[in-house]
Amino acid sequence: MRDFIARPEHGIVWISGASSGIGRALALKLAGEGYKVAVTARSHEKLVELQAEASGLDGSIVVLDGDVTDAEDMEHVMASIEYEHGTLAMVILNAAVYLPVHAEDLHRADFETSFAVNLSGVVNCLLPAIRHMKAKGQGQIAIVSSITGYGGLPMGAAYGATKAALINMAESLKFDLDKMGIRIQLVSPAFIDTPATDKSAFPMTALVSPEEAARQIAAGLKSQAFEITSPGRFTTLLKLARLLPYGAYFPLLNRLTGWRERPSSAGRHPATPHPAE
């Protein structure tokens, strides 16, 4: 039996972290395909601009403000979808923040904020979404992780830890959700070409635009694949690198990023949204 694939006639798509990056591009892409898309983020103004941009598309965008770190907020968003806008057919859990971490200048707040948004924020949306889908007997969930969850990368001690946890979360939930008729997928983007990537301390290869990433992800959501990667070839190479013994992995990553040659610095990098947000 084929897994459930949400179509426009099945109900609403809910996207968290939709004010910028992949979330924004994916909302426009799906609205263009006829879906009704509920978008959530803390920036009301950006969401309203997004809604206006979608006004001429086949589908539509509904603005539902909320902070994913507030569990009660997400319960209210889910209630609004359920009682005011229709059945939730798909949820794309995308909200994230990228805070670079340097061992020379560690700050507890960088870890706490990363865990609150990237990990607990997913759980806060996931619980009410699964409860709704369980009652309907079907649904589709996409959790946006990152290639940084495959293995340690420079500056990724906080961000990468949350994305690795999301990979494990999606894999573990699949066993039970399959039996409930709820389809879960893992989205693992590489580096997305946004202003945030301009601040990277090492060269980023295989950059793709948010629009191209959204196109690939939208296609993956309609496939039977568990993991959706963008771009696929580059993410496969990183997965293969992670199979190397540590004695080979760390030298390889040092060479690819040039990190070993960089002078140590105690200066903090400014907080930026992750390119895959």
Side-chain angles (χ1 to χ4, degrees), residues 202-205 234 238 241 250-259:
F202 58 87
M204 290 185 174
T205 59
F234 181 67
L238 283 182
F250 290 117
L252 175 62
L253 266 293
N254 270 317
R255 186 164 68 251
L256 290 176
T257 63
W259 197 255

Side-chain angles (χ1 to χ4, degrees), residues 144-216:
V144 180
S145 179
S146 166
I147 59 167
T148 60
Y150 293 164
L153 293 176
M155 304 188 300
Y159 181 82
T162 64
K163 294 303 184 176
L166 291 180
I167 291 172
N168 189 287
M169 180 187 297
E171 291 171 346
S172 299
L173 287 172
K174 188 177 189 308
F175 294 101
D176 289 330
L177 293 179
D178 280 351
K179 296 187 292 184
M180 296 162 60
I182 301 173
R183 182 175 182 220
I184 187 167
Q185 290 174 286
L186 176 68
V187 181
S188 301
F191 301 117
I192 310 304
D193 190 7
T194 69
T197 57
D198 295 338
K199 300 176 183 179
S200 172
F202 58 87
M204 290 185 174
T205 59
L207 281 172
V208 298
S209 69
E211 291 74 24
E212 175 58 22
R215 185 191 68 78
Q216 294 178 18

Side-chain angles (χ1 to χ4, degrees), residues 33-264:
E33 295 179 358
Y35 289 88
K36 184 176 183 180
V37 183
V39 292
T40 298
R42 290 180 297 178
S43 177
H44 177 74
E45 293 76 13
K46 290 182 178 180
L47 293 182
V48 171
E49 291 173 3
L50 173 61
Q51 184 182 45
E53 188 172 342
S55 60
L57 300 178
D58 291 340
S60 62
I61 287 181
V62 176
V63 173
L64 297 175
D65 298 333
D67 182 349
V68 296
T69 66
D70 187 328
E72 188 174 342
D73 251 12
M74 295 305 97
E75 290 285 352
H76 289 160
V77 169
M78 184 66 254
S80 179
I81 292 173
E82 188 170 11
Y83 296 111
E84 297 176 26
H85 301 287
T87 297
L88 177 67
M90 181 195 306
V91 59
I92 301 171
L93 305 175
N94 167 74
V97 62
Y98 171 51
L99 302 177
V101 170
H102 293 267
E104 305 99 324
D105 187 30
L106 292 174
H107 293 263
R108 182 182 300 275
D110 290 342
F111 291 90
E112 292 177 342
T113 300
S114 298
F115 297 161
V117 177
N118 303 357
L119 192 52
S120 294
V122 167
V123 173
N124 290 340
C125 300
L126 191 64
L127 267 58
I130 289 179
R131 186 176 64 244
H132 176 92
M133 292 175 179
K134 180 181 177 181
K136 302 296 181 181
Q138 66 180 25
Q140 185 172 352
I141 297 168
I143 294 180
V144 180
S145 179
S146 166
I147 59 167
T148 60
Y150 293 164
L153 293 176
M155 304 188 300
Y159 181 82
T162 64
K163 294 303 184 176
L166 291 180
I167 291 172
N168 189 287
M169 180 187 297
E171 291 171 346
S172 299
L173 287 172
K174 188 177 189 308
F175 294 101
D176 289 330
L177 293 179
D178 280 351
K179 296 187 292 184
M180 296 162 60
I182 301 173
R183 182 175 182 220
I184 187 167
Q185 290 174 286
L186 176 68
V187 181
S188 301
F191 301 117
I192 310 304
D193 190 7
T194 69
T197 57
D198 295 338
K199 300 176 183 179
S200 172
F202 58 87
M204 290 185 174
T205 59
L207 281 172
V208 298
S209 69
E211 291 74 24
E212 175 58 22
R215 185 191 68 78
Q216 294 178 18
I217 293 168
L221 292 171
K222 300 175 187 67
S223 74
Q224 291 293 313
F226 169 70
E227 185 178 29
I228 305 167
T229 58
S230 172
R233 186 172 301 176
F234 181 67
T235 52
T236 299
L237 289 175
L238 283 182
K239 280 188 175 183
L240 292 174
R242 194 60 190 90
L243 296 176
L244 295 171
Y246 284 123
Y249 175 78
F250 290 117
L252 175 62
L253 266 293
N254 270 317
R255 186 164 68 251
L256 290 176
T257 63
W259 197 255
R260 174 70 72 177
E261 287 70 37
R262 284 178 50 83
S264 296

